[in-house]
């Protein structure tokens, strides 16, 4: 007997896969998935740099408290990737510093 997947264990039906983009790269996502979850699933672990020093950042706390995972979604900067749910066709961009044209 093979082990059941987490989806099987909770009888999940995430619905059809759809496409979003990260800096023009096509990423697959499912309904209810956050930006961070979709990026992790695609092997992307860093998508922002700090204002001072340009250090890479991705998810740290995963609950929207630390602001390390900021991205620009559909031209709106400073969106927390761990909280924003994706929709078909969303355009996500990596963010440098504040996400504004400083």
């Amino acid at each position: 007997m093979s082990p059941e997947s987490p989806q099987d264990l909770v009888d999940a039906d995430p619905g059809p896969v759809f496409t979003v983009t990260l800096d023009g790269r096509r990423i697959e996502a499912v309904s209810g998935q956050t930006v961070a979850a979709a990026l992790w699933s695609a092997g992307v672990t860093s998508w922002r740099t700090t204002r001072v020093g340009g250090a890479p950042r991705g998810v740290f706390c995963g609950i929207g408290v630390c602001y390390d995972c900021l991205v620009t979604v559909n031209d709106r900067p400073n969106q927390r990737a761990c909280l924003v749910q994706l929709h078909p066709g969303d355009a996500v961009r990596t963010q440098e510093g504040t996400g504004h044209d400083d």
Side-chain angles (χ1 to χ4, degrees), residues 24-41:
R25 172 184 168 192
R26 294 170 59 93
I27 303 285
E28 290 186 344
V30 295
S31 181
Q33 197 169 36
T34 63
V35 173
L39 295 181
W40 268 1
S41 293

Side-chain angles (χ1 to χ4, degrees), residues 50-68:
T50 57
R51 288 183 294 192
V52 178
R57 292 290 185 263
V59 172
F60 181 71
C61 75
I63 59 173
V65 176
C66 74
Y67 293 82
D68 262 4

Side-chain angles (χ1 to χ4, degrees), residues 11-31:
D11 197 28
D13 182 15
V17 173
F18 58 86
T19 302
V20 298
T21 59
L22 171 66
D23 297 332
R25 172 184 168 192
R26 294 170 59 93
I27 303 285
E28 290 186 344
V30 295
S31 181

